């Protein structure tokens, strides 16, 4: 994996890849937002900024929960199944149920998709 | 354009519609090949537009994701590759999920631009109430710093900030210890030591830099705000 130099990423300028103090690249967030739906038209400049922080919180929470599953299984390597278990256990992560159970190759007990 | 290592090394990954692909592209590949037939695991014949969206556009850079994960995990913890990728995918799903809800609200209110408030509202509606407070604080701080006070892009804003160094001791984004080490050279000349008169205190000096938005954000903001209409 090529590690960017301390300055090369910052001084590269432009929109892509620059993390700045927001830690997650805003341009990428914007792209993902736009890709989520054809109906998304304009995005204010601040929305990706909120997302950069929100994604950080999200990753932290999901990681924490997944790690708890890892510990329960008495392992020290966090696996995809731990993430899947965490998702199954937490209501607000219901939107991830399909994502973590697809491509897993094994058919777990299909969680009923709750209606919104 | 090289993305500084944060997007170029995954190549194409299996896509949701791609039920046949089980292999992953080699992690070493750098720049995205323009033609899809270089990566065997991509089903380029499907007519979904998903298929033509490059992986580096669909996900957050994995290095960033891993860094955030490691902040949470104990030092001895290991993370499997599939866990990293799963979290990476979950983040994108999260963004899409919230954005959809925010966009619905905009449409109901007949607005065209998704604002930060819409995003916050959507998060609250979808159960992420715990995030609202730190996010609101974060946004507030961002607005205070970047509301209008951006210096030149070549970066002498630190000089401006020197006027009142006292206030920057605690004007940080509290919840997030930014990985600021690489940013010392952000403006080419890091006069932070003299400026804050506290060279040993990495916190505030980093926080002062943290308040300075990288140029691209403002460009984006301007281009969006100028182009955005109600």
């Amino acid at each position: 994996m090529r590690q960017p130099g301390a300055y090369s990423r910052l001084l590269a300028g432009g929109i892509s890849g620059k993390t700045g103090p927001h830690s997650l690249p805003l341009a990428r967030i914007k792209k993902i937002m736009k890709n989520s739906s054809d109906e998304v038209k304009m995005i204010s400049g601040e929305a990706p900024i909120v997302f950069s922080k929100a994604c950080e919180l999200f990753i932290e929470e999901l990681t924490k929960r997944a790690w708890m599953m890892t510990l329960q299984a008495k392992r020290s390597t966090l696996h995809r199944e731990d993430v899947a278990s965490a998702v199954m256990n937490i209501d607000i992560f219901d939107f991830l149920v399909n994502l973590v159970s697809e491509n897993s190759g094994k058919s777990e007990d299909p969680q009923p998709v709750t209606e919104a | 354009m090289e993305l500084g290592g944060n997007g170029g090394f995954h190549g194409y990954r299996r896509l949701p519609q791609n039920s046949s692909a089980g292999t992953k592209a080699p992690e070493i590949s750098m720049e995205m090949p323009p033609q899809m037939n270089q990566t065997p695991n991509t089903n380029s014949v499907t007519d979904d537009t998903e298929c033509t969206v490059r992986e580096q556009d669909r996900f957050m850079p994995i290095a960033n994701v891993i860094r955030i994960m490691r902040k949470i995990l104990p030092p001895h913890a290991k993370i499997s590759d599939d866990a990293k990728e799963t979290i990476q995918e979950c983040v994108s799903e999260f963004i899409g999920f919230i954005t959809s809800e925010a966009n619905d609200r905009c449409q109901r209110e007949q607005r065209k631009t998704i604002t930060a408030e819409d995003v916050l509202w959507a998060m609250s509606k979808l159960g992420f109430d715990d995030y609202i407070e730190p996010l609101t604080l974060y946004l507030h701080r961002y607005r205070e710093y970047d509301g209008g006070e951006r210096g030149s892009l070549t970066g002498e804003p630190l000089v401006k900030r020197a006027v009142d160094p006292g206030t920057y001791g605690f004007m940080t984004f509290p919840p997030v210890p930014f990985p600021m080490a690489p940013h010392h050279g952000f403006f080419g000349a890091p006069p932070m030591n003299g400026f804050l008169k506290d060279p040993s205190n990495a916190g505030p000096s980093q926080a002062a830099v943290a308040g300075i938005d990288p140029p691209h954000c403002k460009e984006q903001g301007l281009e969006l705000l100028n182009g955005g209409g109600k």
Side-chain angles (χ1 to χ4, degrees), chain B residues 67-140:
Chain B
R67 192 189 315 133
I68 297 170
M69 291 176 77
R70 291 214 186 276
K71 281 194 305 180
I72 298 298
L73 295 173
H76 68 276
K78 297 187 182 34
I79 313 171
S80 74
D81 284 345
D82 60 0
K84 292 173 189 168
E85 290 179 7
T86 303
I87 302 263
Q88 200 184 13
E89 293 166 10
C90 287
V91 176
S92 293
E93 199 73 19
F94 171 70
I95 294 174
F97 184 53
I98 302 292
T99 300
S100 279
E101 195 64 35
N103 192 48
D104 284 349
R105 184 197 200 207
C106 282
Q107 290 190 328
R108 279 196 303 272
E109 299 182 1
Q110 295 180 334
R111 285 181 287 113
K112 292 203 188 97
T113 307
I114 300 178
T115 64
E117 276 75 20
D118 293 323
V119 173
L120 289 172
W121 176 89
M123 284 191 199
S124 178
K125 176 162 190 277
L126 294 169
F128 295 92
D129 309 298
D130 293 341
Y131 294 11
I132 300 300
E133 195 176 318
L135 290 177
T136 307
L137 194 65
Y138 184 84
L139 186 60
H140 184 66

Side-chain angles (χ1 to χ4, degrees), chain B residues 1-224:
Chain B
M1 174 188 313
E2 187 55 57
L3 289 187
N6 61 357
F9 54 86
H10 264 285
Y12 288 94
R13 196 192 293 182
R14 53 186 163 75
L15 299 168
Q17 295 79 5
N18 197 353
S19 56
S20 60
T23 57
K24 303 214 183 343
E27 295 221 352
I28 320 285
S29 65
M30 298 292 289
E31 202 50 60
M32 288 298 167
Q35 59 273 36
M36 303 188 63
N37 55 9
Q38 286 194 10
T39 50
N41 63 330
T42 307
N43 222 355
S44 56
V45 296
T46 61
D47 49 349
D48 274 305
T49 53
E50 267 294 309
C51 178
T52 60
V53 176
R54 298 177 307 173
E55 174 178 297
Q56 68 192 61
D57 293 340
R58 292 178 63 220
F59 301 119
M60 301 309 299
I62 198 152
N64 299 52
V65 172
I66 294 169
R67 192 189 315 133
I68 297 170
M69 291 176 77
R70 291 214 186 276
K71 281 194 305 180
I72 298 298
L73 295 173
H76 68 276
K78 297 187 182 34
I79 313 171
S80 74
D81 284 345
D82 60 0
K84 292 173 189 168
E85 290 179 7
T86 303
I87 302 263
Q88 200 184 13
E89 293 166 10
C90 287
V91 176
S92 293
E93 199 73 19
F94 171 70
I95 294 174
F97 184 53
I98 302 292
T99 300
S100 279
E101 195 64 35
N103 192 48
D104 284 349
R105 184 197 200 207
C106 282
Q107 290 190 328
R108 279 196 303 272
E109 299 182 1
Q110 295 180 334
R111 285 181 287 113
K112 292 203 188 97
T113 307
I114 300 178
T115 64
E117 276 75 20
D118 293 323
V119 173
L120 289 172
W121 176 89
M123 284 191 199
S124 178
K125 176 162 190 277
L126 294 169
F128 295 92
D129 309 298
D130 293 341
Y131 294 11
I132 300 300
E133 195 176 318
L135 290 177
T136 307
L137 194 65
Y138 184 84
L139 186 60
H140 184 66
R141 297 267 193 255
Y142 166 79
R143 284 172 173 166
E144 276 181 1
Y145 271 111
D146 287 359
E149 235 214 359
R150 293 265 358 268
S152 69
L153 294 183
T154 54
E156 285 303 321
L158 283 175
V159 175
K160 288 189 198 166
R161 305 240 195 264
V163 172
D164 190 8
T167 61
Y168 295 92
F170 48 86
M171 293 288 272
T172 64
F173 301 129
V176 183
F178 292 112
M180 292 305 293
H183 292 257
H184 281 108
F186 193 40
F187 295 102
M192 286 184 287
N193 288 343
F195 147 58
L196 283 177
K197 299 183 175 45
D198 191 5
S200 60
N201 191 348
S205 67
Q206 290 176 344
V209 178
I212 297 164
D213 201 24
H216 82 279
C217 295
K218 193 62 174 185
E219 286 167 15
Q220 266 184 283
L222 283 175
E223 116 204 345
L224 288 166

Side-chain angles (χ1 to χ4, degrees), chain A residues 41-95:
Chain A
K41 304 256 184 308
M42 302 297 299
I43 301 170
S44 86
E46 288 177 337
I49 288 166
V50 171
F51 263 124
S52 82
K53 182 71 176 139
C55 289
E56 199 168 317
L57 297 174
F58 174 76
I59 293 170
E60 288 175 359
E61 180 169 11
L62 189 51
T63 303
K64 232 181 278 191
R65 307 283 192 165
W67 179 247
M68 282 159 45
M69 302 293 137
T70 311
L71 291 179
Q72 279 184 22
K74 297 193 171 43
R75 283 184 271 106
S76 58
T77 301
L78 199 155
H79 284 291
R80 179 189 165 97
E81 63 190 85
D82 302 317
V83 180
S85 303
V87 162
M88 301 303 175
N89 282 342
I90 298 164
D91 287 343
I92 58 171
F93 290 161
D94 277 354
F95 68 100

